[in-house]
Amino acid sequence: MTLPLSPARPPALPAGAVGRPDHLPWSGRARGRVVGRTVVEFWRSDRVVRLAPVGAIACSGLLPVLQVVLAFAYLDNNLRTGLWSLAATALYLPLHLRHVWYAAHATRPPHRHWTLAAMAVVILAATPVAGTMWPRAYVGLAVSAVLLLPAPWSLAIYATLVAIAAPVSLLMGVPWTVVPWLMFSVLTGSWALLLLVWLSAALTRLQAAREVLAQQAVAQERRRIDDDLRRTLGSALESIAARGERVGQRLAESEREGRRAVGSQSVGSRSAGSQSAGSQSTGPQPAGEEPAALVDELMALADDSRRTLAEARQRVRGYRQPSLRAELETAATLLSAAGIETRLVLPRSGLPATIAQHPRAALRATVTRLLRTNGVRACTITTTVSNGRALLELRTDNTTETIEVIPGPQAGPTTDPTEVWP
Amino acid sequence: MIRVLIAEDMHMIRSALVALLSLEDDMEVVAEIERGDEVLPTALRVRPDVAVLDIDMPGLDGLSAAEQLSARLPDCRTLVLTGLSQPGNLLRALKVHAKGFIVKDAPAHTLTDGIRRIARGERVIDPELVAAALETGSSPLTPRETEVLRAAATGIRIAQIATQLSLSQATVRNYLSNAIGKVGGRNRIDAIRISRDAGWL
């Protein structure tokens, strides 16, 4: 009955993949609170996962130590049995704790069969000399067997150990009235320890799964962004590079022609020094239209670069998915800051979590227009949801604009309430 | 003629702005300043129509200078130059009645055109900045948390922050802890970085 333990720990999460705030989208007070809470919860659960194996180890060690104390304390026992118990415990306990430690981390220790065998030899060999209560030490052996061996064998060994604890105790002189209690303590002790270790292992596996999922999500997002950038901005950047190269070549050609012209002029002046100055004007000149054409080309290049920059910003904005609610709250805050008395009315339920790019651009354009316009005194932003359609209405002193809210990707309705006065 | 005051701490950029505006027939640069705390006294002296302010300046930041101008010299309209990296500043700029908010990497004609429109009484706001501000969201911090985090950003110790803001050390720690949690920082430095990048400080 062994748990499906992973052979090795999963690779560590890359720094910043989860919980790093600079990887998290930011949009508003509510989101800030949620993200902050998520990060705190993440840390807390991480701490629990790290502490769980320690708890399992502590409990696994406590029982044998108690066993040694009892070996000294029982009336039937003497110092010699106590010392035997102490020696045997000192021998098997490190091996047992090692088994528990690895199992609590959802892994298997190397050379586990040998260490289990050594543990079994020590515990069984100490049975005749370590006192009447020594069969309780079978708990450790049974737990280690269940943790390390595959299912049929582990169950068989567990059942055997529990079963022989009673007759062994009787043989060692334990009164028959005490035997049921001893059996009960062996059963409950072993199951308590097993559950503790399994819980710790489950937590470890959950955390590992979460890390793997986060890594996959990060890798997937990187691939998506990479494809997107290559498809869209890539061609624009290539065009800029090609244009820059062309300008550079034309500049170089222009410079060469200029040099040639100067050279031929000086040769001409040496060979025909008596020629009139008017004849020089007919010689080769750097193309007169060239500088103007180059200026045009450079201006176009600058325009292209600026357009590409704007496109890049737009792309980056598209990657983030701020919540619709946060965006509306911020819009209301901005309008209020600009001196426009703004009221935000949101439905109690059904508001899409995010908004698609097109209606979002329309919303932003309207907010920009309102911010730029002088004389707007009041604005009411109302979102209504009916028959699955969400409509956003921006009503100012004399105009009303309606935008249909098309939910963005990964959108789900929120149940956030209410009416907000920024 | 539009009388323009320019406040920018970087000499090269300031000179470029002055040279650019000097090419315009209808504009006259009446003062150029490199410190934020010199904006108000100079403006009171030269009475410009438009003050072009950079945000990051020694002495006093551009937005605080704009606030002072708005209070003491309401006829002088302010145009704030900023980077896209701190969209949260737009909210502050609007609160201090700045009439214009333009990104620094906009084409030159955007600035001259913006100054003319502001001088006419219009408001000039870069749509990209609005988009960035809407995306970043408003600050999750309360005014007191912002104040405490801003004080911590100067590098002083908790005891000094407590003295400066007339709070107990435990309260300062609480505010800092809340601020770190709200912005999702891993520690105080991280929270300061996040808040500063978003323009919330």
Side-chain angles (χ1 to χ4, degrees):
Chain A
M1 198 167 65
T2 324
L3 284 170
L5 301 175
S6 56
R9 290 176 74 83
L13 189 67
V18 170
R20 275 274 302 269
D22 43 352
H23 286 265
L24 299 168
W26 287 104
S27 46
R29 196 177 302 246
R31 188 156 212 152
R33 275 199 299 269
V34 169
V35 170
R37 203 166 52 228
T38 308
V39 173
V40 170
E41 280 166 6
F42 175 79
W43 285 340
R44 203 170 287 160
S45 65
D46 190 46
R47 202 166 49 209
V48 169
V49 172
R50 275 188 278 116
L51 285 177
V54 179
I57 284 286
C59 289
S60 302
L62 195 67
L63 208 64
V65 169
L66 196 67
Q67 171 71 31
V68 172
V69 173
L70 288 177
F72 281 104
Y74 264 106
L75 291 175
D76 298 346
N77 296 340
N78 51 31
L79 183 64
R80 195 157 162 270
T81 54
L83 286 174
W84 271 113
S85 175
L86 180 64
T89 305
L91 279 174
Y92 89 82
L93 191 57
L95 299 175
H96 177 55
L97 294 183
R98 181 171 178 265
H99 299 157
V100 170
W101 180 254
Y102 273 88
H105 283 93
T107 54
R108 286 171 174 165
H111 314 299
R112 56 187 177 278
H113 296 113
W114 290 109
T115 51
L116 181 64
M119 192 177 157
V121 166
V122 170
I123 289 175
L124 295 175
T127 302
V129 290
T132 51
M133 286 294 146
W134 183 251
R136 272 191 186 146
Y138 293 2
V139 169
L141 189 56
V143 167
S144 279
V146 171
L147 293 178
L148 299 182
L149 298 178
W153 298 108
S154 61
L155 273 179
I157 291 175
Y158 179 83
T160 309
L161 285 169
V162 172
I164 63 167
V168 168
S169 304
L170 284 170
L171 280 174
M172 291 172 67
V174 174
W176 66 269
T177 48
V178 179
V179 171
W181 169 243
L182 192 134
M183 288 286 291
F184 177 73
S185 69
V186 168
L187 273 172
T188 51
S190 60
W191 276 108
L193 281 180
L194 281 171
L195 287 176
L196 205 59
V197 175
W198 283 337
L199 183 68
S200 172
L203 283 175
T204 306
R205 273 196 301 276
L206 273 177
Q207 198 195 25
R210 184 168 64 175
E211 288 172 359
V212 169
L213 276 177
Q215 279 178 322
Q216 283 173 350
V218 168
Q220 198 176 348
E221 191 63 6
R222 279 184 186 153
R223 267 199 303 278
R224 189 176 73 81
I225 292 173
D226 185 48
D227 291 346
D228 203 14
L229 287 180
R230 200 174 299 155
R231 201 175 55 248
T232 53
L233 297 178
S235 57
L237 290 171
E238 274 168 18
S239 150
I240 288 172
R243 192 168 250 181
E245 221 165 85
R246 250 191 340 261
V247 171
Q249 281 170 359
R250 286 174 73 172
L251 268 172
E253 274 170 29
S254 177
E255 198 182 347
R256 273 199 299 275
E257 279 176 21
R259 277 206 202 113
R260 259 204 306 274
V262 171
S264 63
Q265 278 169 15
S266 57
V267 169
S269 61
R270 275 201 301 273
S271 64
S274 59
Q275 277 189 348
S276 67
S279 65
Q280 288 177 14
S281 62
T282 59
Q285 289 281 330
E289 292 167 5
E290 195 67 1
L294 280 173
V295 168
D296 286 348
E297 190 79 15
L298 282 170
M299 293 295 281
L301 186 63
D303 283 346
D304 268 7
S305 309
R306 205 163 277 132
R307 219 174 7 254
T308 310
L309 180 65
E311 201 179 330
R313 282 177 184 153
Q314 219 166 7
R315 286 277 145 203
V316 170
R317 274 205 295 273
Y319 296 138
R320 299 174 192 162
Q321 286 287 328
S323 81
L324 174 60
R325 184 187 166 83
E327 189 141 349
L328 291 174
E329 278 180 359
T330 311
T333 310
L334 285 176
L335 291 169
S336 299
I340 303 168
E341 193 186 329
T342 308
R343 200 160 68 101
L344 180 60
V345 184
L346 299 178
R348 290 203 172 272
S349 63
L351 183 71
T354 57
I355 180 171
Q357 204 160 349
H358 184 66
R360 190 167 61 171
L363 169 67
R364 289 176 178 184
T366 306
V367 172
T368 308
R369 184 175 54 74
L370 289 175
L371 288 174
R372 283 174 168 179
T373 310
N374 276 331
V376 178
R377 288 193 310 273
C379 173
T380 306
I381 304 173
T382 313
T383 311
T384 49
V385 181
S386 64
N387 299 328
R389 278 182 75 206
L391 286 179
L392 188 61
E393 189 185 83
L394 287 98
R395 197 169 57 244
T396 56
D397 302 331
N398 46 14
T399 60
T400 302
E401 192 160 327
T402 307
I403 300 166
E404 185 174 358
V405 179
I406 304 161
Q410 301 160 359
T414 61
T415 51
D416 284 344
T418 63
E419 184 166 339
V420 180
W421 287 87
Chain B
M1 188 70 87
I2 304 168
R3 294 162 58 79
V4 183
L5 175 148
I6 292 177
E8 161 69 59
D9 59 329
M10 290 188 184
H11 187 264
M12 196 183 280
I13 296 176
R14 194 171 65 244
S15 303
L17 286 172
V18 171
L20 176 75
L21 298 185
S22 304
L23 295 174
E24 303 297 319
D25 297 332
D26 57 343
M27 289 180 201
E28 182 194 0
V29 178
V30 290
E32 42 178 309
I33 303 163
E34 59 183 338
R35 290 181 60 84
D37 50 5
E38 290 172 3
V39 171
L40 183 64
T42 311
L44 286 171
R45 189 161 39 81
V46 299
R47 302 268 161 182
D49 298 314
V50 177
V52 178
L53 309 177
D54 180 30
I55 286 192
D56 296 317
M57 282 189 289
L60 191 70
D61 68 278
L63 293 175
S64 302
E67 192 171 12
Q68 289 184 350
L69 276 180
S70 161
R72 300 282 305 277
L73 201 62
D75 288 343
C76 173
R77 296 173 175 119
T78 49
L79 187 153
V80 179
L81 294 178
T82 182
L84 260 182
S85 56
Q86 295 184 322
N89 283 329
L90 176 61
L91 184 63
R92 269 189 77 199
L94 290 171
K95 279 182 179 163
V96 300
H97 307 293
K99 289 287 177 186
F101 206 65
I102 292 179
V103 283
K104 277 182 175 172
D105 59 356
H109 66 82
T110 307
L111 177 65
T112 51
D113 186 45
I115 291 174
R116 283 191 192 98
R117 284 166 56 193
I118 284 172
R120 285 201 298 269
E122 295 174 27
R123 207 185 263 139
V124 178
I125 293 167
D126 197 310
E128 284 206 29
L129 272 170
V130 176
L134 286 176
E135 200 164 84
T136 307
S138 48
S139 171
L141 305 174
T142 62
R144 204 53 161 166
E145 285 161 358
T146 309
E147 215 172 354
V148 170
L149 203 60
R150 197 177 288 149
T154 61
I156 58 178
R157 281 180 293 185
I158 286 185
Q160 290 168 301
I161 299 173
T163 312
Q164 195 175 307
L165 301 177
S166 309
L167 297 169
S168 74
Q169 291 191 33
T171 311
V172 170
R173 277 198 198 93
N174 277 344
Y175 278 128
L176 282 174
S177 167
N178 286 346
I180 292 167
K182 280 184 180 176
V183 304
R186 282 170 299 180
N187 49 41
R188 200 186 307 172
I189 306 293
D190 204 30
I192 291 167
R193 181 187 62 77
I194 293 165
S195 307
R196 197 172 263 164
D197 285 353
W200 294 333
L201 283 190

